[in-house]
Amino acid sequence: MSFFQDIFSIFKKRELLFLESHKESEDVYSFLFEKEKDLTWKAGQYGLFSITHKTIKNPTKPFSVASAPTENIVKITTRISDDPSDYKKAILELKQGMKVKMSGPLGSFYLQDNSPSLLIAGGIGITPFRSILKQIEAEGNGDEKQRKLLYLDGKKSYIYKDELDEIANNASISVTYLDSRDDLHQEIDKFNALYKNSGKYFIAGPKSMVDSISSYLQNNNISKRNIKKDAFFGY
């Protein structure tokens, strides 16, 4: 998506009806909203979600849309600590029938061609990749394309694991679960050896992790134009 399309999307706001929430793990929650018929996005994009049911200092935050465009819901997933921010407190207070505002979709973090692609998720950075893999599964075109997901989580909580395993079985997408940076580097090196000039690399997770992996790729002669990044900031 171009810069100008992103600017246009920012000003396109809509209200989303809250349906329900549930826990994905000890400190990770998913929130589901009704999807209007004219709302669509590219799998991997994000929206700006605004709290409207109460007044807080910073009511708008970005979240990857974790659901695929082919699903009938808008799903966002976030980590919420024992001492949450005012925003996280407000989102936990949502009850069925309440609304939030969404601007977007935004961003260029999505598959654009048939290149072999290595998807690298760190912790909560799995959210855009759930959308991407669910879309591949829905389109039924995973067999002829080389897609590999590396999911790094030092806590080994691996949210969406059951779903990801099911997608991997149905769409011939490789999913590898990792809990150390050394193992991640080894898997990157394997992929790089196979697809040195043609591979595309997508990294999503905490900013420090995204920057570190991007530097590792560039130090291994991966061109910056073949690397897409989606850095998550805590709030």
Side-chain angles (χ1 to χ4, degrees), residues 112-128:
Q112 294 177 307
D113 55 38
N114 295 339
S115 300
S117 299
L118 187 64
L119 316 178
I120 305 168
I124 198 68
I126 192 64
T127 52

Side-chain angles (χ1 to χ4, degrees), residues 1 8-9 12-17 34-42 45 69-74 102-105:
M1 181 173 280
F8 175 77
S9 292
K12 187 172 184 180
K13 294 183 179 180
R14 65 179 71 231
E15 287 191 322
L16 300 182
L17 193 69
E34 189 176 272
K35 178 189 172 189
E36 297 174 355
K37 289 182 179 179
D38 66 332
L39 174 59
T40 190
W41 58 91
K42 290 181 172 25
Q45 288 189 301
T70 49
E71 294 181 280
N72 290 323
I73 55 166
V74 175
M102 174 189 167
S103 299

Side-chain angles (χ1 to χ4, degrees), residues 2-208:
S2 72
F3 170 79
F4 293 107
Q5 286 175 305
D6 267 2
I7 291 295
F8 175 77
S9 292
I10 285 176
F11 291 105
K12 187 172 184 180
K13 294 183 179 180
R14 65 179 71 231
E15 287 191 322
L16 300 182
L17 193 69
F18 176 66
L19 299 174
E20 62 177 358
S21 63
H22 61 266
K23 270 191 170 186
E24 298 284 358
S25 68
E26 183 181 345
D27 60 348
V28 175
Y29 295 75
S30 284
F31 299 86
L32 308 183
F33 302 89
E34 189 176 272
K35 178 189 172 189
E36 297 174 355
K37 289 182 179 179
D38 66 332
L39 174 59
T40 190
W41 58 91
K42 290 181 172 25
Q45 288 189 301
Y46 69 94
L48 300 176
F49 291 82
S50 300
I51 297 296
T52 59
H53 66 271
K54 66 186 297 186
T55 302
I56 58 175
K57 188 174 181 181
N58 297 302
T60 303
K61 301 293 182 186
F63 289 98
S64 297
V65 181
S67 45
T70 49
E71 294 181 280
N72 290 323
I73 55 166
V74 175
K75 176 176 184 169
I76 61 174
T77 302
T78 187
R79 180 164 275 116
I80 301 179
S81 68
D82 290 335
D83 184 24
S85 66
D86 287 345
Y87 187 97
K88 296 286 180 71
K89 286 178 184 174
I91 203 168
L92 278 174
E93 292 168 1
L94 284 172
K95 293 180 172 57
Q96 189 173 23
M98 287 183 173
K99 294 180 178 180
V100 301
K101 284 185 178 176
M102 174 189 167
S103 299
L106 302 162
S108 59
F109 194 79
Y110 51 84
L111 303 180
Q112 294 177 307
D113 55 38
N114 295 339
S115 300
S117 299
L118 187 64
L119 316 178
I120 305 168
I124 198 68
I126 192 64
T127 52
F129 295 127
R130 181 197 178 276
S131 177
I132 288 170
L133 295 193
K134 288 291 286 185
Q135 187 67 18
I136 290 172
E137 180 185 42
E139 292 173 355
N141 58 5
D143 290 338
E144 73 263 17
K145 299 175 184 176
Q146 177 59 41
R147 314 288 197 207
K148 183 175 180 65
L149 171 66
L150 304 179
Y151 189 175
L152 176 68
D153 186 350
K155 295 180 178 180
K156 299 184 181 180
S157 57
Y158 303 121
I159 61 171
Y160 309 142
K161 186 176 187 302
D162 290 345
E163 279 189 300
L164 296 174
D165 289 342
E166 186 177 346
I167 294 169
N169 288 333
N170 292 341
S172 299
I173 296 165
S174 171
V175 179
T176 301
Y177 301 96
L178 306 165
D179 60 12
S180 80
R181 196 65 66 92
D182 287 343
D183 289 344
L184 176 63
H185 288 169
Q186 287 181 20
E187 292 294 331
I188 290 172
D189 292 345
K190 288 180 193 175
F191 187 88
N192 189 17
L194 285 172
Y195 306 106
K196 196 165 189 70
N197 297 317
S198 60
K200 299 290 176 65
Y201 299 79
F202 294 76
I203 319 164
K207 186 177 186 304
S208 59

